[in-house]
Amino acid sequence: MGHTATDLNESRILLYYCFTPIDDPTAVMLWQRALCEQLELKGRIIVSKHGINGTVGGTLASCKQYVRRTREFPGFKDMEFKWSQGGAEDFPRLSVKAREEIVSFGAPDELKVGPEGVIGGGVHLKPEEVNKLVEERGDDVVFFDGRNAMEAEIGRFKNAIVPDVQTTHDFIAELESGKYDHLKDKPIVSYCTGGIRCEVLSALMKNRGFDEVYQIDGGIVRYGEKYGDKGLWEGSLYVFDRRMHMEFSEDARVLGTCRECGTGTNDFHNCVNEECRKQTLLCEDCAANPATRHCGSEECAAIGERAVAAAQ
Ligand SMILES: [Zn+2]
Ligand SMILES: [Zn+2]
């Protein structure tokens, strides 16, 4: 065995989720917190009666330990961990919480989970099966974006439907609005970043009369790893870390446009108004100028104007 010096200095980020029934989420949360503290991992973990969802970073040795010890819990035995570059320094702190849901759809009692995962969810498709479905059924296949509308501004599947949602909490009202009733008998491929949101969304859709619902195994991430920019995905992938977005190849199309001037961009910026939490697509020039570095609301635009005036 024996670790080399480089191994010991290396660090990693682990991303994982698992839907499995948990009788005592608080006990699992306390165990996970103690484990992460002991291994000096940082990041964010949510435990609910439906399972666990986490992103943690630390040394390579700690991450390996964490995977081994976490899999000792019977429900997590077969959980897959995605390894990526980074470390504890990518997170401000360690946060381990027990909540009603591991993804906040606002439907904790509707979601049913068994030892095999979510009950009544969409059929899982591997990336190549997604393409096969489209080859066979053509334009009948509908891609349904399971993310917040903002994320889809810079990248989405070809001809995807992007629901009008600001947060995952908005999905149920959106599905029940009648807007998508014409899709109820069509093959629908739901997709999200890494697959977790569609585990829930696809079940909620089926419960609401969508007959043929699929979800992509491993989400956009796995599809992009397989097909890059040569498949049915277009543009950049919004990510929830300081990178903000990533591309699968140098051929990625720029789908986003600057809110101010319409130039192509995939860079989100914080609004000049610090109270406003909106992230807005802006080109480099418009982001550099406080007068244009705002979300588009009149209030924030006025704050931008005042900032420019104050600087003169
Ligand atoms: Zn611009
Ligand atoms: Zn704003």
Side-chain angles (χ1 to χ4, degrees), residues 10-311:
E10 264 184 290
S11 59
R12 289 287 189 281
I13 291 176
L14 293 169
L15 299 99
Y16 53 92
Y17 70 83
C18 174
F19 286 93
T20 189
I22 295 180
D23 291 338
D24 190 346
T26 305
V28 170
M29 176 270 283
L30 293 171
W31 161 60
Q32 281 285 308
R33 183 185 288 160
L35 179 59
C36 290
E37 282 171 354
Q38 188 201 343
L39 295 170
E40 296 179 346
L41 297 172
K42 284 187 182 170
R44 188 165 172 271
I45 299 173
I46 300 170
V47 182
S48 82
K49 62 182 176 186
H50 305 127
I52 187 168
N53 177 21
T55 314
V56 295
T59 65
L60 182 58
S62 287
C63 287
K64 285 181 177 170
Q65 276 275 342
Y66 176 80
V67 169
R68 198 175 58 72
R69 307 258 305 261
T70 295
R71 282 187 177 144
E72 285 171 5
F73 182 81
F76 302 157
K77 188 164 45 85
D78 300 319
M79 181 154 59
E80 282 179 46
F81 289 83
K82 189 163 176 58
W83 295 75
S84 89
Q85 298 300 321
E89 65 279 7
D90 288 292
F91 303 95
R93 69 186 77 83
L94 173 68
S95 157
V96 188
K97 294 202 165 107
R99 293 242 176 92
E100 281 291 292
E101 298 177 287
I102 54 176
V103 211
S104 298
F105 278 88
D109 298 322
E110 182 179 336
L111 187 69
K112 300 285 176 256
V113 167
E116 307 299 318
V118 171
I119 296 169
V123 175
H124 288 87
L125 297 180
K126 295 193 175 66
E128 49 273 33
E129 293 172 323
V130 173
N131 285 12
K132 195 164 155 255
L133 183 73
V134 173
E135 273 163 32
E136 288 170 3
R137 314 272 296 270
D139 289 345
D140 228 25
V141 178
V142 176
F143 284 97
F144 196 89
D145 205 303
R147 303 171 300 161
N148 306 329
M150 185 193 96
E151 297 170 60
E153 284 179 36
I154 58 170
R156 54 194 173 258
F157 275 91
K158 276 189 186 120
N159 304 318
I161 293 207
V162 178
D164 181 17
V165 299
Q166 284 192 22
T167 75
T168 305
H169 234 273
D170 300 335
F171 267 109
I172 289 187
E174 186 74 359
L175 291 176
E176 292 176 353
S177 68
K179 276 191 226 175
Y180 309 106
D181 286 0
H182 62 293
L183 305 176
K184 284 190 168 169
D185 55 359
K186 291 204 183 254
I188 296 176
V189 180
S190 63
Y191 66 90
C192 60
T193 315
I196 185 171
R197 286 180 272 184
C198 289
E199 294 275 1
V200 183
L201 177 63
S202 65
L204 299 178
M205 292 182 84
K206 287 183 68 182
N207 290 350
R208 282 161 185 76
F210 295 85
D211 282 337
E212 192 181 349
V213 183
Y214 301 91
Q215 54 183 321
I216 306 179
D217 248 356
I220 301 160
V221 170
R222 191 165 301 161
Y223 187 90
E225 284 169 357
K226 172 89 184 171
Y227 288 108
D229 294 294
K230 295 183 164 62
L232 302 165
W233 171 259
E234 289 185 327
S236 302
L237 173 61
Y238 184 90
V239 292
F240 293 85
D241 59 39
R242 55 189 173 184
R243 292 173 298 169
M244 303 291 287
H245 62 82
M246 58 163 288
E247 287 71 40
F248 293 113
S249 78
E250 286 175 2
D251 303 327
R253 278 181 56 195
V254 177
L255 296 191
T257 52
C258 175
R259 178 205 52 74
E260 180 72 19
C261 72
T263 303
T265 179
N266 45 23
D267 287 321
F268 283 100
H269 294 269
N270 291 324
C271 182
V272 66
N273 172 9
E274 285 175 16
E275 313 264 285
C276 172
R277 308 286 275 282
K278 279 203 191 105
Q279 291 178 332
T280 305
L281 278 175
L282 292 167
C283 73
E284 216 174 310
D285 289 345
C286 295
N289 179 358
T292 48
R293 195 180 67 240
H294 60 80
C295 64
S297 83
E298 270 179 46
E299 190 196 342
C300 298
I303 287 171
E305 293 293 348
R306 283 206 292 279
V308 173

